[in-house]
Amino acid sequence: MKYYISYFGQMRNFPSNLLPVSTVMWEQAWFAGTVEKLEELIVPQSVVSSLEAHHTMCQKNCPLSASLPCGFMAAYLDYLRTLDFNQVLMKLNLMTLRHTHVDSIALMVYEKPSCKCAERPCLQQWFKENGIELVEWEKPTAKKATSLF
């Protein structure tokens, strides 16, 4: 099984063998029913509350821009570390059994890779700590046909 991370805007480019699994509380309405969801990876309310507490400060002076710890990201990573990684991995792999021809999973977040204050770096760090590199899924580039004339 291959594991990736991506964002909802990329789903239109996904091949049929890639299963999107949401890590967000609420998908946009147009994604309802098109993604699997694993409750354990959804940001818990306690972490959302820490985000709300830091929201005003982050809008004016993002701690990441000054290489300071972000309260939201620290809280989410701490939460992930309380989970049994092998149990989460097993649940992810079991999801693929409901879909034919699936050999890869993409954990879905809202933000593009350029947004550093999001679930993406936390999920990537947690997977890395458990021996799996969670890389960004990228749309394959189309090869141009070469003409003989």
Side-chain angles (χ1 to χ4, degrees):
M1 187 66 58
K2 295 177 187 171
Y3 302 94
Y4 298 96
I5 194 154
S6 192
Y7 58 102
F8 287 98
Q10 275 283 35
M11 277 183 55
R12 68 183 176 276
N13 299 312
F14 282 4
S16 60
N17 68 320
L18 182 60
L19 178 67
V21 177
S22 177
T23 67
V24 303
M25 280 188 201
W26 305 285
E27 296 92 22
Q28 300 295 333
W30 52 88
F31 294 114
T34 63
V35 295
E36 291 282 349
K37 193 173 224 178
L38 184 59
E39 296 295 325
E40 288 91 327
L41 296 180
I42 296 172
V43 178
Q45 187 59 46
S46 60
V47 175
V48 172
S49 297
S50 74
L51 173 64
E52 292 166 355
H54 293 284
H55 183 67
T56 303
M57 187 264 307
C58 287
Q59 283 183 324
K60 294 178 182 175
N61 186 18
C62 175
L64 293 176
S65 64
S67 298
L68 299 172
C70 172
F72 165 71
M73 291 174 62
Y76 184 49
L77 186 55
D78 286 346
Y79 163 74
L80 289 172
R81 289 174 174 153
T82 67
L83 301 176
D84 181 334
F85 182 80
N86 291 324
Q87 185 75 17
V88 169
L89 208 58
M90 183 183 73
K91 287 182 178 185
L92 286 170
N93 291 334
L94 286 173
M95 285 180 179
T96 65
L97 298 177
R98 295 191 292 263
H99 304 273
T100 57
H101 301 87
V102 168
D103 63 3
S104 304
I105 293 173
L107 299 181
M108 306 302 294
V109 298
Y110 286 127
E111 297 83 3
K112 291 181 178 183
S114 58
C115 179
K116 300 302 179 198
C117 188
E119 296 94 338
R120 177 183 275 103
C122 301
L123 289 163
Q124 288 175 313
Q125 177 65 34
W126 186 56
F127 267 71
K128 183 177 181 179
E129 289 172 2
N130 287 281
I132 296 176
E133 186 177 7
L134 192 61
V135 297
E136 189 70 32
W137 182 84
E138 294 182 13
K139 180 181 176 182
T141 55
K143 294 180 180 178
K144 291 184 179 181
T146 55
S147 174
L148 297 175
F149 304 99

